Amino acid sequence: MSVQERKQRERADRERLIVATARELAERQGWDAVTTRRLAERIEYSQPVLYSHFRGKREIIGAVALEGAAELAAALRAATAAADGPRARVAALAHAYLDFAERHPAVYDAIFQLDGGLPYARDDTPEPLKDAFAALLETLGDVAGPGVEPGLFTEVFWSSLHGLATLTRAGRLPPEFTETRVAVLTDRLAVLGPA
Amino acid sequence: MSVQERKQRERADRERLIVATARELAERQGWDAVTTRRLAERIEYSQPVLYSHFRGKREIIGAVALEGAAELAAALRAATAAADGPRARVAALAHAYLDFAERHPAVYDAIFQLDGGLPYARDDTPEPLKDAFAALLETLGDVAGPGVEPGLFTEVFWSSLHGLATLTRAGRLPPEFTETRVAVLTDRLAVLGPA
DNA sequence: AACTCGATTCTAGCACCGCTAGACATTCGA
DNA sequence: TCGAATGTCTAGCGGTGCTAGAATCGAGTT
């Protein structure tokens, strides 16, 4: 039994190594640089070993996406927990979200742009993805305002942040006035005060 | 002289054929299917001919993006011209934008997501791109509201639409409630009435 | 009308991609 | 100690974007 357990553990370790290496490569040089050959070389195994863990490159991207989604959720919760009042919480959320997108563009893409073979917005959506949306909902649900369902409001606010993040990174928006743009979003979209 | 002119004309024709063929291929089967080999075969020339017109696949994407941007601008103007009042105009704009993104995903990607080697948000940005933004500004600039610069407001509203379009197409958002989401954007973000 | 020579186009090939069949090595249970 | 099962590797498939150099074409000149 113990031998099998050791093997399972080693296999799990190697799988984590693959995901971590893929992520590091993607963050450093972009997803185009994450080739099965390079990845295999980095983990010091041959290419087919990758395929004994994942069905293909797509699934490796998916694994990085799940890891990243968990981190994003944690970052959002940490940021909002440290803020007082609805406005500050929404602002902190927006800031943390865009910060994550800017600091981890490759991971962000794995979560929200690339095809990682993951089911989204469904019952069988993996927990980390559901939880990342839940983290958004926790803060944004409180400022949906009258007549707007919290989940739908969260989707809208999230989409706006996503649009800002992607257009800015793709060079379509000048990065200078991000702060002001976020302020417009926060002040107009969210229904903040009781007053 | 006339011989040279004919050659120039034929060359320009062939260039248009390349762009049109690339676009058609992309719209039918996605950009991954637009390979230099397939493209060359379709226009009945060899691969190197493509490179006598464009520096590479990237520039071909850029050419499709410019063509698409002009069409998007026209579609936005047509939609807003047929609408009465600020609210109807903004709603028509949003609808036309998302409609374009849904009907021409490959072209939309060429304009807003892919690397076509084009300079965006700069002085030397190609005219069609500037004009597409101008088309947005014409309608959205009127509903920026007090204290918000029209250009910046346009960027924010545009980003929100872009986020909705891309997240929905990538399967991250369920497509069912798009209409409601747009209504939230329109009602909350835009400052509509004089009242 | 034949020829020359520059412009044009093609063939063939580079290094790389994701992925996999089948050979080889290693480890385990009897 | 041997046979089988498991694990890993080598080698290769068909594809990618791109390009050097050969071959062809055709316009202007004799």
Side-chain angles (χ1 to χ4, degrees):
Chain A
M1 250 320 184
S2 138
V3 170
Q4 266 201 5
E5 280 174 13
R6 192 205 68 211
K7 284 205 172 185
Q8 277 190 4
R9 199 180 56 238
E10 285 174 353
R11 204 180 146 72
D13 283 349
R14 192 172 64 181
E15 191 158 311
R16 273 190 290 275
L17 176 64
I18 292 172
V19 177
T21 307
R23 176 182 175 158
E24 189 190 319
L25 211 42
E27 296 216 70
R28 279 188 203 273
Q29 305 179 244
W31 278 107
D32 281 352
V34 183
T35 71
T36 55
R37 278 171 181 77
R38 240 189 297 256
L39 193 46
E41 196 198 4
R42 293 286 177 97
I43 65 166
E44 298 183 305
Y45 282 93
S46 64
Q47 290 182 69
V49 165
L50 300 174
Y51 289 85
S52 78
H53 288 270
F54 302 95
R55 295 163 74 85
K57 187 182 172 178
R58 169 191 299 206
E59 273 196 8
I60 297 177
I61 295 174
V64 172
L66 292 184
E67 194 181 292
E71 289 174 27
L72 173 59
L76 296 180
R77 291 203 173 96
T80 52
D84 270 354
R87 197 190 187 290
R89 269 203 300 279
V90 173
L93 180 90
H95 195 274
Y97 186 96
L98 296 176
D99 202 54
F100 185 91
E102 188 183 341
R103 285 153 92 123
H104 305 287
V107 176
Y108 186 88
D109 282 348
I111 306 174
F112 296 119
Q113 303 238 219
L114 298 176
D115 180 8
L118 300 171
Y120 286 82
R122 288 170 28 177
D123 284 347
D124 59 336
T125 292
E127 209 46 54
L129 298 177
K130 284 182 176 172
D131 190 54
F133 185 81
L136 289 167
L137 185 65
E138 285 157 23
T139 292
L140 294 171
D142 291 341
V143 294
V148 178
E149 203 267 316
L152 188 129
F153 178 80
T154 301
E155 290 173 352
V156 171
F157 201 99
W158 166 38
S159 297
S160 301
L161 290 175
H162 177 73
L164 282 181
T166 52
L167 286 176
T168 303
R169 181 147 54 81
R172 267 66 168 180
L173 277 180
E176 286 90 48
F177 304 106
T178 299
E179 215 54 56
T180 315
R181 295 187 194 108
V182 171
V184 172
L185 268 189
T186 308
D187 290 332
R188 293 274 176 88
L189 225 41
V191 175
L192 294 166
Chain B
M1 250 319 184
S2 137
V3 169
Q4 267 203 2
E5 281 175 12
R6 193 205 67 211
K7 285 203 172 188
Q8 279 191 2
R9 198 179 58 238
E10 286 173 350
R11 206 181 143 73
D13 284 348
R14 193 172 60 182
E15 191 158 311
R16 274 189 290 274
L17 176 64
I18 292 172
V19 176
T21 306
R23 174 180 176 161
E24 190 189 320
L25 212 41
E27 297 217 70
R28 279 189 202 273
Q29 307 181 240
W31 278 107
D32 280 353
V34 183
T35 70
T36 55
R37 277 170 182 78
R38 239 189 298 257
L39 194 46
E41 197 199 3
R42 293 285 177 98
I43 65 166
E44 299 182 302
Y45 282 93
S46 64
Q47 291 182 65
V49 166
L50 301 174
Y51 290 84
S52 78
H53 289 271
F54 302 95
R55 296 164 73 86
K57 188 182 173 179
R58 169 191 300 206
E59 273 196 7
I60 297 178
I61 294 174
V64 172
L66 292 184
E67 195 181 291
E71 289 175 27
L72 173 59
L76 297 180
R77 290 202 173 96
T80 53
D84 269 355
R87 196 188 188 292
R89 267 202 302 278
V90 173
L93 179 90
H95 195 275
Y97 186 96
L98 295 177
D99 203 54
F100 184 92
E102 188 183 341
R103 286 152 93 121
H104 305 287
V107 176
Y108 186 87
D109 282 348
I111 307 174
F112 296 119
Q113 304 238 222
L114 299 176
D115 180 8
L118 300 170
Y120 286 83
R122 288 172 26 178
D123 283 348
D124 59 336
T125 292
E127 210 45 57
L129 298 177
K130 284 182 176 173
D131 191 53
F133 185 82
L136 289 167
L137 185 65
E138 285 158 21
T139 292
L140 294 171
D142 290 340
V143 294
V148 178
E149 203 266 316
L152 188 127
F153 178 80
T154 301
E155 290 173 351
V156 171
F157 201 99
W158 165 38
S159 297
S160 301
L161 290 175
H162 176 74
L164 282 181
T166 53
L167 287 176
T168 301
R169 182 146 54 80
R172 265 68 167 179
L173 276 180
E176 286 91 49
F177 305 106
T178 299
E179 215 52 59
T180 316
R181 296 188 193 107
V182 171
V184 172
L185 268 189
T186 308
D187 290 332
R188 294 271 177 88
L189 225 42
V191 176
L192 294 165

